[in-house]
């Protein structure tokens, strides 16, 4: 990869995967059981540190996928701080979409903001990674990213990628994001829809 000119390695979530309500035998890596550890199926934290060091020796960077929106049902936070999670009208933990293996955080609670900030800073300052790809970033209040991203950059130069296409995420926080509109337009072109102007208007995003 280094010989090919790759600058940054991006790893999908490396954290332990939840077991409660797990989907399939392997589970989803986006069902995070512990934000400060690595999945033992991949190795140990010391081995991951060795990987980070080896990547840096090659003059490359390494970032990891970060799942700020939700955790696994058996993440200790669900027991220690249930108030940090969204609830249904019945007072039960809230599961977004059909993601039945996870429960969603409530970023109106300062506690989860503080916890996530501390955890993110840990991976940069202690493990020496070079940034994050934030899963479903558009579902997290931009005020949180605008606060935490400068704190990460105060530790070291980091690369921050948002899985989102909202322009406001670039104002104070993210270095790069996705372009879902282009993806949808290309799908329409592949279907034979030649009216690109109408497609661009349909998928246009207005930054309010």
């Amino acid at each position: 990869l280094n010989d090919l000119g790759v600058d940054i390695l991006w790893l999908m979530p490396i954290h332990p995967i939840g077991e409660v309500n797990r989907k399939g035998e392997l589970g989803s890596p986006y069902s995070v059981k512990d934000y400060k550890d690595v999945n033992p199926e991949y190795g140990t934290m010391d081995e991951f540190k060795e990987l980070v060091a080896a990547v840096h020796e090659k003059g490359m960077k390494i970032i990891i996928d970060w799942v700020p929106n939700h955790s696994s049902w058996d993440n200790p936070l669900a027991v220690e701080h249930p108030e940090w999670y969204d609830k249904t009208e019945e007072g039960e933990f809230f599961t977004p979409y059909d993601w039945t293996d996870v429960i969603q955080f409530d970023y109106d609670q300062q506690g989860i903001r503080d916890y996530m900030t501390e955890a993110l800073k840990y991976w940069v300052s202690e493990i020496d990674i070079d940034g994050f790809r934030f899963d479903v970033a558009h579902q997290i209040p931009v005020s949180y990213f605008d606060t935490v991203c400068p704190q990460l950059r105060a530790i070291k130069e980091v690369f921050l990628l948002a899985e989102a296409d909202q322009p406001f995420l670039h104002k104070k926080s993210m270095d790069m994001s996705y372009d879902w509109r282009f993806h949808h337009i290309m799908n329409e072109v592949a279907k034979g829809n030649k009216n690109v102007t109408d497609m661009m208007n349909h998928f246009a995003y207005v930054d309010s």
Side-chain angles (χ1 to χ4, degrees), residues 8 33 50 58 70 85 90 152 195:
I8 300 176
K33 188 175 181 179
E50 293 176 5
K58 293 287 187 180
H70 49 262
Y85 289 82
E90 293 74 29
L152 297 176
N195 197 331

Side-chain angles (χ1 to χ4, degrees), residues 17-28:
I17 297 173
E19 299 176 17
V20 175
N21 297 326
R22 171 176 284 204
K23 287 190 172 184
E25 293 185 10
L26 299 178
S28 167

Side-chain angles (χ1 to χ4, degrees), residues 37-56:
D37 203 356
V38 297
N39 189 334
E41 297 176 26
Y42 301 156
T44 66
M45 182 64 81
D46 285 339
E47 289 172 327
F48 182 69
K49 289 180 179 179
E50 293 176 5
L51 172 62
V52 173
V55 168
H56 288 165

